[in-house]
Amino acid sequence: MDIENSENIQPEENNNQTVPQKLEVNDQIIEQLISAGKWAKFLAILGFVFIGFMVLMGFMISVIMSFMPSGPFRHMPIPGFLFGFVYLVIGIVYFFPILYLLRFSTNIQQAISTNNTLKMLKAFENLKSHYRYIGIVMIVMLGLYLLTFVFMVFAGMLAGFSGFTGMQA
């Protein structure tokens, strides 16, 4: 399988002419891609199983917390069923990168078995989408951590200026 890369033009050492370089996909690379596809499929299936457990736990927590007496939970700032809703939201957020990973594994295995360049392209597009999604989630989480830290600093300063000494028993 030869893939010509016309964008990567390197000059020859002894000559001033430019020659397009070819990317050669040899048997070792194909073996590595097959292995990566198998591991990606394993991780995707495992991810879907854990997402299923997470959604199931979200429903169970929502139902249990909504029927609990308000005794020990009366001072909570949010309703109890929202704890389960958080699990559902996390499950939805993690669904898409797992789906991209499964599509990568399926397409890479089909591309190699049928020698199909279009399937190979789709596989790597899904791998790119997987990493882009994970990167965006990481950026959002780091932003939320930063906002939380800033909020905690200001809340601590405000509490200190107001003479708040802690929770009263």
PDB file of all heavy atoms in Angstrom, residues 36-48 95-110 122-123 126-127 130:
ATOM      1  N   ALA A  36      -3.821  -1.798  16.811  1.00  0.00           N
ATOM      2  CA  ALA A  36      -4.470  -0.594  17.337  1.00  0.00           C
ATOM      3  C   ALA A  36      -5.983  -0.679  17.155  1.00  0.00           C
ATOM      4  O   ALA A  36      -6.746  -0.271  18.037  1.00  0.00           O
ATOM      5  CB  ALA A  36      -3.916   0.652  16.642  1.00  0.00           C
ATOM      6  N   GLY A  37      -6.426  -1.203  16.025  1.00  0.00           N
ATOM      7  CA  GLY A  37      -7.858  -1.360  15.780  1.00  0.00           C
ATOM      8  C   GLY A  37      -8.512  -2.315  16.755  1.00  0.00           C
ATOM      9  O   GLY A  37      -9.628  -2.067  17.234  1.00  0.00           O
ATOM     10  N   LYS A  38      -7.819  -3.406  17.071  1.00  0.00           N
ATOM     11  CA  LYS A  38      -8.369  -4.371  18.028  1.00  0.00           C
ATOM     12  C   LYS A  38      -8.474  -3.755  19.422  1.00  0.00           C
ATOM     13  O   LYS A  38      -9.486  -3.914  20.112  1.00  0.00           O
ATOM     14  CB  LYS A  38      -7.506  -5.631  18.078  1.00  0.00           C
ATOM     15  CG  LYS A  38      -7.639  -6.495  16.843  1.00  0.00           C
ATOM     16  CD  LYS A  38      -6.718  -7.695  16.916  1.00  0.00           C
ATOM     17  CE  LYS A  38      -6.820  -8.532  15.647  1.00  0.00           C
ATOM     18  NZ  LYS A  38      -5.884  -9.672  15.662  1.00  0.00           N
ATOM     19  N   TRP A  39      -7.413  -3.056  19.843  1.00  0.00           N
ATOM     20  CA  TRP A  39      -7.452  -2.426  21.165  1.00  0.00           C
ATOM     21  C   TRP A  39      -8.490  -1.313  21.209  1.00  0.00           C
ATOM     22  O   TRP A  39      -9.165  -1.130  22.230  1.00  0.00           O
ATOM     23  CB  TRP A  39      -6.070  -1.889  21.547  1.00  0.00           C
ATOM     24  CG  TRP A  39      -5.175  -2.964  22.070  1.00  0.00           C
ATOM     25  CD1 TRP A  39      -4.112  -3.528  21.443  1.00  0.00           C
ATOM     26  CD2 TRP A  39      -5.288  -3.627  23.333  1.00  0.00           C
ATOM     27  NE1 TRP A  39      -3.549  -4.497  22.239  1.00  0.00           N
ATOM     28  CE2 TRP A  39      -4.248  -4.570  23.399  1.00  0.00           C
ATOM     29  CE3 TRP A  39      -6.157  -3.514  24.403  1.00  0.00           C
ATOM     30  CZ2 TRP A  39      -4.065  -5.393  24.510  1.00  0.00           C
ATOM     31  CZ3 TRP A  39      -5.964  -4.338  25.505  1.00  0.00           C
ATOM     32  CH2 TRP A  39      -4.938  -5.251  25.557  1.00  0.00           C
ATOM     33  N   ALA A  40      -8.630  -0.574  20.131  1.00  0.00           N
ATOM     34  CA  ALA A  40      -9.633   0.495  20.090  1.00  0.00           C
ATOM     35  C   ALA A  40     -11.037  -0.098  20.205  1.00  0.00           C
ATOM     36  O   ALA A  40     -11.890   0.449  20.917  1.00  0.00           O
ATOM     37  CB  ALA A  40      -9.493   1.307  18.806  1.00  0.00           C
ATOM     38  N   LYS A  41     -11.274  -1.221  19.538  1.00  0.00           N
ATOM     39  CA  LYS A  41     -12.594  -1.860  19.631  1.00  0.00           C
ATOM     40  C   LYS A  41     -12.846  -2.360  21.053  1.00  0.00           C
ATOM     41  O   LYS A  41     -13.944  -2.187  21.595  1.00  0.00           O
ATOM     42  CB  LYS A  41     -12.713  -3.021  18.646  1.00  0.00           C
ATOM     43  CG  LYS A  41     -14.108  -3.632  18.639  1.00  0.00           C
ATOM     44  CD  LYS A  41     -14.309  -4.559  17.477  1.00  0.00           C
ATOM     45  CE  LYS A  41     -14.665  -3.692  16.308  1.00  0.00           C
ATOM     46  NZ  LYS A  41     -15.153  -4.388  15.151  1.00  0.00           N
ATOM     47  N   PHE A  42     -11.827  -2.951  21.679  1.00  0.00           N
ATOM     48  CA  PHE A  42     -11.967  -3.416  23.065  1.00  0.00           C
ATOM     49  C   PHE A  42     -12.307  -2.245  23.992  1.00  0.00           C
ATOM     50  O   PHE A  42     -13.226  -2.334  24.796  1.00  0.00           O
ATOM     51  CB  PHE A  42     -10.664  -4.098  23.512  1.00  0.00           C
ATOM     52  CG  PHE A  42     -10.611  -4.388  24.980  1.00  0.00           C
ATOM     53  CD1 PHE A  42     -11.372  -5.410  25.528  1.00  0.00           C
ATOM     54  CD2 PHE A  42      -9.800  -3.639  25.817  1.00  0.00           C
ATOM     55  CE1 PHE A  42     -11.326  -5.674  26.893  1.00  0.00           C
ATOM     56  CE2 PHE A  42      -9.748  -3.892  27.173  1.00  0.00           C
ATOM     57  CZ  PHE A  42     -10.509  -4.917  27.717  1.00  0.00           C
ATOM     58  N   LEU A  43     -11.561  -1.147  23.865  1.00  0.00           N
ATOM     59  CA  LEU A  43     -11.810   0.016  24.721  1.00  0.00           C
ATOM     60  C   LEU A  43     -13.171   0.645  24.438  1.00  0.00           C
ATOM     61  O   LEU A  43     -13.836   1.137  25.358  1.00  0.00           O
ATOM     62  CB  LEU A  43     -10.697   1.049  24.543  1.00  0.00           C
ATOM     63  CG  LEU A  43      -9.330   0.632  25.091  1.00  0.00           C
ATOM     64  CD1 LEU A  43      -8.277   1.661  24.702  1.00  0.00           C
ATOM     65  CD2 LEU A  43      -9.391   0.453  26.591  1.00  0.00           C
ATOM     66  N   ALA A  44     -13.604   0.636  23.176  1.00  0.00           N
ATOM     67  CA  ALA A  44     -14.912   1.196  22.832  1.00  0.00           C
ATOM     68  C   ALA A  44     -16.037   0.360  23.446  1.00  0.00           C
ATOM     69  O   ALA A  44     -16.984   0.905  24.019  1.00  0.00           O
ATOM     70  CB  ALA A  44     -15.071   1.284  21.325  1.00  0.00           C
ATOM     71  N   ILE A  45     -15.932  -0.953  23.337  1.00  0.00           N
ATOM     72  CA  ILE A  45     -16.969  -1.819  23.908  1.00  0.00           C
ATOM     73  C   ILE A  45     -17.004  -1.650  25.421  1.00  0.00           C
ATOM     74  O   ILE A  45     -18.078  -1.521  26.024  1.00  0.00           O
ATOM     75  CB  ILE A  45     -16.728  -3.289  23.501  1.00  0.00           C
ATOM     76  CG1 ILE A  45     -17.000  -3.452  22.000  1.00  0.00           C
ATOM     77  CG2 ILE A  45     -17.592  -4.235  24.320  1.00  0.00           C
ATOM     78  CD1 ILE A  45     -16.564  -4.777  21.426  1.00  0.00           C
ATOM     79  N   LEU A  46     -15.822  -1.625  26.037  1.00  0.00           N
ATOM     80  CA  LEU A  46     -15.746  -1.410  27.486  1.00  0.00           C
ATOM     81  C   LEU A  46     -16.327  -0.044  27.859  1.00  0.00           C
ATOM     82  O   LEU A  46     -17.043   0.081  28.857  1.00  0.00           O
ATOM     83  CB  LEU A  46     -14.289  -1.511  27.936  1.00  0.00           C
ATOM     84  CG  LEU A  46     -14.018  -1.818  29.385  1.00  0.00           C
ATOM     85  CD1 LEU A  46     -14.609  -3.169  29.778  1.00  0.00           C
ATOM     86  CD2 LEU A  46     -12.519  -1.815  29.628  1.00  0.00           C
ATOM     87  N   GLY A  47     -16.054   0.966  27.048  1.00  0.00           N
ATOM     88  CA  GLY A  47     -16.590   2.298  27.290  1.00  0.00           C
ATOM     89  C   GLY A  47     -18.106   2.320  27.226  1.00  0.00           C
ATOM     90  O   GLY A  47     -18.763   2.938  28.068  1.00  0.00           O
ATOM     91  N   PHE A  48     -18.689   1.628  26.237  1.00  0.00           N
ATOM     92  CA  PHE A  48     -20.151   1.573  26.132  1.00  0.00           C
ATOM     93  C   PHE A  48     -20.762   0.840  27.325  1.00  0.00           C
ATOM     94  O   PHE A  48     -21.824   1.229  27.822  1.00  0.00           O
ATOM     95  CB  PHE A  48     -20.584   0.920  24.823  1.00  0.00           C
ATOM     96  CG  PHE A  48     -20.473   1.822  23.632  1.00  0.00           C
ATOM     97  CD1 PHE A  48     -19.804   1.413  22.496  1.00  0.00           C
ATOM     98  CD2 PHE A  48     -21.050   3.084  23.633  1.00  0.00           C
ATOM     99  CE1 PHE A  48     -19.698   2.240  21.397  1.00  0.00           C
ATOM    100  CE2 PHE A  48     -20.956   3.921  22.539  1.00  0.00           C
ATOM    101  CZ  PHE A  48     -20.268   3.491  21.415  1.00  0.00           C
ATOM    102  N   PHE A  95     -20.269   9.497  25.605  1.00  0.00           N
ATOM    103  CA  PHE A  95     -20.771   8.645  24.522  1.00  0.00           C
ATOM    104  C   PHE A  95     -20.083   8.936  23.193  1.00  0.00           C
ATOM    105  O   PHE A  95     -19.683   8.014  22.473  1.00  0.00           O
ATOM    106  CB  PHE A  95     -22.292   8.830  24.375  1.00  0.00           C
ATOM    107  CG  PHE A  95     -22.863   8.097  23.197  1.00  0.00           C
ATOM    108  CD1 PHE A  95     -23.105   6.740  23.273  1.00  0.00           C
ATOM    109  CD2 PHE A  95     -23.145   8.766  22.009  1.00  0.00           C
ATOM    110  CE1 PHE A  95     -23.628   6.052  22.185  1.00  0.00           C
ATOM    111  CE2 PHE A  95     -23.664   8.091  20.919  1.00  0.00           C
ATOM    112  CZ  PHE A  95     -23.902   6.731  21.008  1.00  0.00           C
ATOM    113  N   PHE A  96     -19.914  10.205  22.860  1.00  0.00           N
ATOM    114  CA  PHE A  96     -19.414  10.562  21.538  1.00  0.00           C
ATOM    115  C   PHE A  96     -17.959  10.174  21.294  1.00  0.00           C
ATOM    116  O   PHE A  96     -17.644   9.627  20.227  1.00  0.00           O
ATOM    117  CB  PHE A  96     -19.673  12.040  21.255  1.00  0.00           C
ATOM    118  CG  PHE A  96     -21.132  12.338  21.153  1.00  0.00           C
ATOM    119  CD1 PHE A  96     -21.813  12.930  22.198  1.00  0.00           C
ATOM    120  CD2 PHE A  96     -21.841  11.978  20.017  1.00  0.00           C
ATOM    121  CE1 PHE A  96     -23.168  13.181  22.107  1.00  0.00           C
ATOM    122  CE2 PHE A  96     -23.202  12.211  19.916  1.00  0.00           C
ATOM    123  CZ  PHE A  96     -23.870  12.818  20.961  1.00  0.00           C
ATOM    124  N   PRO A  97     -17.024  10.395  22.226  1.00  0.00           N
ATOM    125  CA  PRO A  97     -15.663   9.941  21.933  1.00  0.00           C
ATOM    126  C   PRO A  97     -15.568   8.417  21.839  1.00  0.00           C
ATOM    127  O   PRO A  97     -14.772   7.893  21.046  1.00  0.00           O
ATOM    128  CB  PRO A  97     -14.828  10.476  23.094  1.00  0.00           C
ATOM    129  CG  PRO A  97     -15.771  10.840  24.150  1.00  0.00           C
ATOM    130  CD  PRO A  97     -17.075  11.144  23.477  1.00  0.00           C
ATOM    131  N   ILE A  98     -16.401   7.709  22.599  1.00  0.00           N
ATOM    132  CA  ILE A  98     -16.406   6.249  22.511  1.00  0.00           C
ATOM    133  C   ILE A  98     -16.955   5.812  21.156  1.00  0.00           C
ATOM    134  O   ILE A  98     -16.447   4.868  20.537  1.00  0.00           O
ATOM    135  CB  ILE A  98     -17.219   5.643  23.676  1.00  0.00           C
ATOM    136  CG1 ILE A  98     -16.617   6.023  25.023  1.00  0.00           C
ATOM    137  CG2 ILE A  98     -17.338   4.140  23.538  1.00  0.00           C
ATOM    138  CD1 ILE A  98     -15.211   5.544  25.253  1.00  0.00           C
ATOM    139  N   LEU A  99     -17.963   6.509  20.657  1.00  0.00           N
ATOM    140  CA  LEU A  99     -18.509   6.205  19.339  1.00  0.00           C
ATOM    141  C   LEU A  99     -17.456   6.436  18.252  1.00  0.00           C
ATOM    142  O   LEU A  99     -17.297   5.616  17.341  1.00  0.00           O
ATOM    143  CB  LEU A  99     -19.753   7.055  19.070  1.00  0.00           C
ATOM    144  CG  LEU A  99     -20.423   6.858  17.712  1.00  0.00           C
ATOM    145  CD1 LEU A  99     -20.963   5.443  17.579  1.00  0.00           C
ATOM    146  CD2 LEU A  99     -21.536   7.876  17.528  1.00  0.00           C
ATOM    147  N   TYR A 100     -16.730   7.553  18.334  1.00  0.00           N
ATOM    148  CA  TYR A 100     -15.661   7.815  17.366  1.00  0.00           C
ATOM    149  C   TYR A 100     -14.581   6.742  17.421  1.00  0.00           C
ATOM    150  O   TYR A 100     -14.038   6.337  16.398  1.00  0.00           O
ATOM    151  CB  TYR A 100     -15.021   9.189  17.611  1.00  0.00           C
ATOM    152  CG  TYR A 100     -15.917  10.360  17.305  1.00  0.00           C
ATOM    153  CD1 TYR A 100     -15.978  11.442  18.169  1.00  0.00           C
ATOM    154  CD2 TYR A 100     -16.692  10.405  16.153  1.00  0.00           C
ATOM    155  CE1 TYR A 100     -16.788  12.537  17.899  1.00  0.00           C
ATOM    156  CE2 TYR A 100     -17.507  11.482  15.875  1.00  0.00           C
ATOM    157  CZ  TYR A 100     -17.550  12.544  16.751  1.00  0.00           C
ATOM    158  OH  TYR A 100     -18.355  13.620  16.478  1.00  0.00           O
ATOM    159  N   LEU A 101     -14.269   6.263  18.611  1.00  0.00           N
ATOM    160  CA  LEU A 101     -13.261   5.220  18.767  1.00  0.00           C
ATOM    161  C   LEU A 101     -13.735   3.915  18.139  1.00  0.00           C
ATOM    162  O   LEU A 101     -12.957   3.221  17.463  1.00  0.00           O
ATOM    163  CB  LEU A 101     -12.950   5.021  20.249  1.00  0.00           C
ATOM    164  CG  LEU A 101     -11.714   4.226  20.595  1.00  0.00           C
ATOM    165  CD1 LEU A 101     -10.470   4.903  20.057  1.00  0.00           C
ATOM    166  CD2 LEU A 101     -11.612   4.067  22.103  1.00  0.00           C
ATOM    167  N   LEU A 102     -15.004   3.577  18.320  1.00  0.00           N
ATOM    168  CA  LEU A 102     -15.554   2.366  17.707  1.00  0.00           C
ATOM    169  C   LEU A 102     -15.540   2.484  16.185  1.00  0.00           C
ATOM    170  O   LEU A 102     -15.177   1.529  15.485  1.00  0.00           O
ATOM    171  CB  LEU A 102     -16.969   2.106  18.209  1.00  0.00           C
ATOM    172  CG  LEU A 102     -17.649   0.862  17.638  1.00  0.00           C
ATOM    173  CD1 LEU A 102     -16.926  -0.390  18.101  1.00  0.00           C
ATOM    174  CD2 LEU A 102     -19.105   0.821  18.038  1.00  0.00           C
ATOM    175  N   ARG A 103     -15.922   3.636  15.661  1.00  0.00           N
ATOM    176  CA  ARG A 103     -15.906   3.838  14.207  1.00  0.00           C
ATOM    177  C   ARG A 103     -14.482   3.746  13.658  1.00  0.00           C
ATOM    178  O   ARG A 103     -14.267   3.201  12.572  1.00  0.00           O
ATOM    179  CB  ARG A 103     -16.516   5.191  13.855  1.00  0.00           C
ATOM    180  CG  ARG A 103     -18.009   5.238  14.027  1.00  0.00           C
ATOM    181  CD  ARG A 103     -18.526   6.611  13.681  1.00  0.00           C
ATOM    182  NE  ARG A 103     -19.962   6.712  13.870  1.00  0.00           N
ATOM    183  CZ  ARG A 103     -20.631   7.849  13.830  1.00  0.00           C
ATOM    184  NH1 ARG A 103     -19.994   8.993  13.608  1.00  0.00           N
ATOM    185  NH2 ARG A 103     -21.931   7.863  14.013  1.00  0.00           N
ATOM    186  N   PHE A 104     -13.498   4.286  14.405  1.00  0.00           N
ATOM    187  CA  PHE A 104     -12.109   4.162  13.978  1.00  0.00           C
ATOM    188  C   PHE A 104     -11.720   2.697  13.870  1.00  0.00           C
ATOM    189  O   PHE A 104     -11.171   2.258  12.859  1.00  0.00           O
ATOM    190  CB  PHE A 104     -11.170   4.883  14.947  1.00  0.00           C
ATOM    191  CG  PHE A 104      -9.737   4.453  14.818  1.00  0.00           C
ATOM    192  CD1 PHE A 104      -8.973   4.872  13.735  1.00  0.00           C
ATOM    193  CD2 PHE A 104      -9.158   3.609  15.752  1.00  0.00           C
ATOM    194  CE1 PHE A 104      -7.656   4.468  13.605  1.00  0.00           C
ATOM    195  CE2 PHE A 104      -7.850   3.198  15.628  1.00  0.00           C
ATOM    196  CZ  PHE A 104      -7.086   3.619  14.540  1.00  0.00           C
ATOM    197  N   SER A 105     -12.013   1.926  14.915  1.00  0.00           N
ATOM    198  CA  SER A 105     -11.594   0.522  14.926  1.00  0.00           C
ATOM    199  C   SER A 105     -12.260  -0.273  13.809  1.00  0.00           C
ATOM    200  O   SER A 105     -11.619  -1.068  13.136  1.00  0.00           O
ATOM    201  CB  SER A 105     -11.882  -0.112  16.277  1.00  0.00           C
ATOM    202  OG  SER A 105     -13.266  -0.231  16.496  1.00  0.00           O
ATOM    203  N   THR A 106     -13.542  -0.040  13.600  1.00  0.00           N
ATOM    204  CA  THR A 106     -14.259  -0.754  12.547  1.00  0.00           C
ATOM    205  C   THR A 106     -13.717  -0.396  11.163  1.00  0.00           C
ATOM    206  O   THR A 106     -13.447  -1.280  10.339  1.00  0.00           O
ATOM    207  CB  THR A 106     -15.767  -0.425  12.622  1.00  0.00           C
ATOM    208  OG1 THR A 106     -16.244  -0.761  13.923  1.00  0.00           O
ATOM    209  CG2 THR A 106     -16.553  -1.179  11.572  1.00  0.00           C
ATOM    210  N   ASN A 107     -13.534   0.896  10.917  1.00  0.00           N
ATOM    211  CA  ASN A 107     -13.056   1.324   9.603  1.00  0.00           C
ATOM    212  C   ASN A 107     -11.607   0.915   9.338  1.00  0.00           C
ATOM    213  O   ASN A 107     -11.263   0.557   8.212  1.00  0.00           O
ATOM    214  CB  ASN A 107     -13.200   2.838   9.448  1.00  0.00           C
ATOM    215  CG  ASN A 107     -14.624   3.248   9.181  1.00  0.00           C
ATOM    216  OD1 ASN A 107     -15.351   2.579   8.462  1.00  0.00           O
ATOM    217  ND2 ASN A 107     -15.042   4.349   9.767  1.00  0.00           N
ATOM    218  N   ILE A 108     -10.752   0.933  10.357  1.00  0.00           N
ATOM    219  CA  ILE A 108      -9.355   0.565  10.140  1.00  0.00           C
ATOM    220  C   ILE A 108      -9.250  -0.926   9.836  1.00  0.00           C
ATOM    221  O   ILE A 108      -8.475  -1.340   8.975  1.00  0.00           O
ATOM    222  CB  ILE A 108      -8.441   0.987  11.314  1.00  0.00           C
ATOM    223  CG1 ILE A 108      -6.976   1.037  10.884  1.00  0.00           C
ATOM    224  CG2 ILE A 108      -8.544   0.068  12.491  1.00  0.00           C
ATOM    225  CD1 ILE A 108      -6.645   2.191  10.029  1.00  0.00           C
ATOM    226  N   GLN A 109     -10.056  -1.741  10.516  1.00  0.00           N
ATOM    227  CA  GLN A 109     -10.035  -3.178  10.236  1.00  0.00           C
ATOM    228  C   GLN A 109     -10.578  -3.474   8.840  1.00  0.00           C
ATOM    229  O   GLN A 109     -10.025  -4.308   8.115  1.00  0.00           O
ATOM    230  CB  GLN A 109     -10.817  -3.936  11.304  1.00  0.00           C
ATOM    231  CG  GLN A 109     -10.117  -3.944  12.647  1.00  0.00           C
ATOM    232  CD  GLN A 109     -10.956  -4.538  13.755  1.00  0.00           C
ATOM    233  OE1 GLN A 109     -12.180  -4.618  13.660  1.00  0.00           O
ATOM    234  NE2 GLN A 109     -10.295  -4.938  14.832  1.00  0.00           N
ATOM    235  N   GLN A 110     -11.641  -2.775   8.430  1.00  0.00           N
ATOM    236  CA  GLN A 110     -12.190  -2.976   7.092  1.00  0.00           C
ATOM    237  C   GLN A 110     -11.230  -2.468   6.021  1.00  0.00           C
ATOM    238  O   GLN A 110     -11.092  -3.080   4.966  1.00  0.00           O
ATOM    239  CB  GLN A 110     -13.537  -2.276   6.956  1.00  0.00           C
ATOM    240  CG  GLN A 110     -14.641  -2.929   7.742  1.00  0.00           C
ATOM    241  CD  GLN A 110     -15.949  -2.142   7.665  1.00  0.00           C
ATOM    242  OE1 GLN A 110     -16.009  -1.058   7.091  1.00  0.00           O
ATOM    243  NE2 GLN A 110     -16.997  -2.678   8.270  1.00  0.00           N
ATOM    244  N   LYS A 122     -11.646   7.372   6.410  1.00  0.00           N
ATOM    245  CA  LYS A 122     -12.731   7.499   7.398  1.00  0.00           C
ATOM    246  C   LYS A 122     -12.256   7.093   8.789  1.00  0.00           C
ATOM    247  O   LYS A 122     -12.648   7.701   9.788  1.00  0.00           O
ATOM    248  CB  LYS A 122     -13.930   6.648   6.979  1.00  0.00           C
ATOM    249  CG  LYS A 122     -14.716   7.227   5.839  1.00  0.00           C
ATOM    250  CD  LYS A 122     -15.926   6.366   5.530  1.00  0.00           C
ATOM    251  CE  LYS A 122     -16.710   6.944   4.373  1.00  0.00           C
ATOM    252  NZ  LYS A 122     -17.919   6.157   4.084  1.00  0.00           N
ATOM    253  N   ALA A 123     -11.417   6.069   8.853  1.00  0.00           N
ATOM    254  CA  ALA A 123     -10.893   5.628  10.148  1.00  0.00           C
ATOM    255  C   ALA A 123     -10.110   6.745  10.813  1.00  0.00           C
ATOM    256  O   ALA A 123     -10.329   7.063  11.986  1.00  0.00           O
ATOM    257  CB  ALA A 123     -10.015   4.390   9.966  1.00  0.00           C
ATOM    258  N   ASN A 126     -12.245   9.627  12.033  1.00  0.00           N
ATOM    259  CA  ASN A 126     -12.888   9.338  13.317  1.00  0.00           C
ATOM    260  C   ASN A 126     -11.892   9.396  14.471  1.00  0.00           C
ATOM    261  O   ASN A 126     -12.242   9.845  15.563  1.00  0.00           O
ATOM    262  CB  ASN A 126     -13.569   7.965  13.273  1.00  0.00           C
ATOM    263  CG  ASN A 126     -14.908   8.036  12.587  1.00  0.00           C
ATOM    264  OD1 ASN A 126     -15.837   8.636  13.105  1.00  0.00           O
ATOM    265  ND2 ASN A 126     -15.008   7.443  11.408  1.00  0.00           N
ATOM    266  N   LEU A 127     -10.646   8.979  14.223  1.00  0.00           N
ATOM    267  CA  LEU A 127      -9.631   9.086  15.268  1.00  0.00           C
ATOM    268  C   LEU A 127      -9.337  10.552  15.577  1.00  0.00           C
ATOM    269  O   LEU A 127      -9.215  10.938  16.742  1.00  0.00           O
ATOM    270  CB  LEU A 127      -8.356   8.360  14.840  1.00  0.00           C
ATOM    271  CG  LEU A 127      -7.271   8.222  15.896  1.00  0.00           C
ATOM    272  CD1 LEU A 127      -7.775   7.400  17.079  1.00  0.00           C
ATOM    273  CD2 LEU A 127      -6.027   7.597  15.291  1.00  0.00           C
ATOM    274  N   HIS A 130     -12.199  11.854  17.571  1.00  0.00           N
ATOM    275  CA  HIS A 130     -12.101  11.355  18.948  1.00  0.00           C
ATOM    276  C   HIS A 130     -11.170  12.244  19.765  1.00  0.00           C
ATOM    277  O   HIS A 130     -11.534  12.702  20.842  1.00  0.00           O
ATOM    278  CB  HIS A 130     -11.584   9.913  18.918  1.00  0.00           C
ATOM    279  CG  HIS A 130     -11.188   9.378  20.249  1.00  0.00           C
ATOM    280  ND1 HIS A 130     -12.102   8.932  21.180  1.00  0.00           N
ATOM    281  CD2 HIS A 130      -9.975   9.209  20.824  1.00  0.00           C
ATOM    282  CE1 HIS A 130     -11.468   8.518  22.250  1.00  0.00           C
ATOM    283  NE2 HIS A 130     -10.175   8.673  22.067  1.00  0.00           N
TER     284      HIS A 130
END
